Amino acid sequence: MNNLRGIYTIWYRDIIRFWRDRMRLVGAITLPLLFLFVFGPGLSTRMGLLGPGIDFAKFIFPGIIGMTVLMSSFMAGVSVVWDREYGFLREVLVAPISRVSVVIGKALGAATVALLQGMIIMLFAPLIGISLSVGTMLALLPLMFLLAISMGSLGVLLATYIRSIEAFQAVMQMLMFPMVFLSGVFFPLEGLPSWMDVLVKLNPATYGIAPIRQVVLGVPPEFSVLGHTMTLWENITVVAVVGTVVILMAMWSFGHQE
Amino acid sequence: MTDYIIEVENLVKKFGDLIAVNDISFKVAHGEIFGFLGPNGAGKTTTINILCTLLRPTSGQATINGFDVVHQQSQVRQSIGLVFQDPSLDERLSGLQNMRFHALVYNVPALVREQRIEEMLRMMQLWDKRHHEVRTYSGGMKRRLELARGLLHRPKVLFLDEPTLGLDPQTRNRIWEYILDLRQREGVTIFLTTHYMDEAQKADRLAVIDYGRLIAMDTPEKLKRMVGKDIISVKTADNDNAAEVIRLRYQTEIRRDGNELIFSVTNGEEFLPKFIRAFDIKIQSISLRRPSLDDVFLKLTGREIRQEDVRSTFKAMVRQYGRRQRR
Ligand SMILES: Nc1ncnc2c1ncn2[C@@H]1O[C@H](COP(=O)(O)OP(=O)(O)OP(=O)(O)O)[C@@H](O)[C@H]1O
Ligand SMILES: [Mg+2]
């Protein structure tokens, strides 16, 4: 009971903050929209089709949904660094709620915010020439949520080690962008240089983006690991397992920090 | 239930080589106002952080309300309220939202929640500003909001780490009235650290702490009696000469503070007329006062605490300024 209350309160605060800061939302979806409406069409004309009826703009659309979810949930998780910097974390840490519920509340808050942003991007589908049925949209929600919870937890985990804003910025550059670029957001995962192939397949984000693309574009599984073609459910399982491990690690390290 | 609400035994906290808290033991009774007095870096905040479960002690034990601060953290946390030395508000939320967050995590019953929040905000004169974002508050208003928040869940022990730093005298007085009243009505125990002597004076008992060690602990009155003598400050036309004369004639230690000579004597009222009559160097001013806690501190540590006061106010300002710069 105590734990539920704690989770709810931590989550609720993140939602209020998000709502108070609506302008940031505009900022957060600017980059994805640029990719969708400038980068995508710009390259589409030169690149031809990447699949039956799938030009480059359509191809990256699900990737951009995934990227939006991934980046915003990660940022929301790492925002714990700001709470530490501004002192609010102490108010949270001396409160009679468990550290575990703080981590869950944070991850849920991050996921909620990320899900909202992903859904906003989703609404642009018709402009790209993709029609999403209600069923497809509903199927996307749990996929986005799973990715968001995992990345949000990763953010919280890192935040327990990051003690300064400078380090925070370094982590963003060194971790988040490589994760996005090496995940199949922007290109098909076949015929990559072998060093890249290895990195792509070690990157958990790859397994989060792939199912979103499969569902949105209705294409068959597009990549294989060690000769085995990954099915939708196998991809989901990878993300779920990684997510679970990360959130457990976040709980542990958050509970043991000073 | 034991007689003491806070029990601390041989508490030690090391940060690497630095011993921030060095073998401290003390007990605080129910409803007591217990003060920690000491210069910057003495280990006051570190001690509070251990007691409120934010830091683990290197060794030693502490219980609050009968609960161990290492092994029964959540019970300890439910028993205490805190006003930290550094700001700990969510500046992006309104005052009211900060209060509601606190009420929720401390499980203040829904029935009394809103009413109590209003009571606290009105007392701290923040009710009109309740819907404004905290980042638009002045430093004093933020401080008051933190106090309102710390009191909201009616804790058994209230930790106040320099609670009135940066507040104007009227606000300080009002807050103290409320704290004393709260103690009267609800028997709250108060653990405070301060640099203000008049505030330390309000404590039932004071612990003087320096370099992580507890060097004295008693009521303010008894501590002052320890210094014992009355204090004479005199300004003369020729301080160097005067100091020599006084030292030889009265066999007493003399200290200089600016252009004043300061020394202590027993029975100052009778000493003063005799002194003035017998002294041949021109006296420009002279005063007599009872020993203050400043003198206690000086005697115990050989340093003045008042200078630290200025420095820590400055430190707090720099800290807040730094924060503002960063956003
Ligand atoms: N997290 C930390 N890591 C390393 N050293 C620390 C840490 N926290 C405090 N210290 C050191 O421990 C000592 C005691 O610090 P503390 O904050 O307890 O002092 P204080 O009595 O509260 O001083 P002030 O009056 O300035 O608030 C200081 O020397 C400080 O530098
Ligand atoms: Mg301190």
Side-chain angles (χ1 to χ4, degrees), chain B residues 3-30:
Chain B
D3 294 341
Y4 296 101
I5 191 144
I6 305 177
E7 294 186 65
V8 174
E9 259 174 61
N10 305 111
L11 202 65
V12 175
K13 179 69 192 180
K14 295 184 187 165
F15 295 110
D17 287 339
L18 181 90
I19 306 177
V21 174
N22 196 346
D23 199 14
I24 281 184
S25 305
F26 61 87
K27 289 177 180 176
V28 179
H30 287 269

Side-chain angles (χ1 to χ4, degrees), chain B residues 19-66:
Chain B
I19 306 177
V21 174
N22 196 346
D23 199 14
I24 281 184
S25 305
F26 61 87
K27 289 177 180 176
V28 179
H30 287 269
E32 200 175 5
I33 297 183
F34 185 80
F36 249 29
L37 190 62
N40 289 145
K44 304 182 294 292
T45 301
T46 306
T47 308
I48 288 189
N49 282 344
I50 295 171
L51 294 181
C52 75
T53 75
L54 277 183
L55 282 178
R56 279 170 166 267
T58 307
S59 66
Q61 264 145 36
T63 60
I64 296 211
N65 200 18

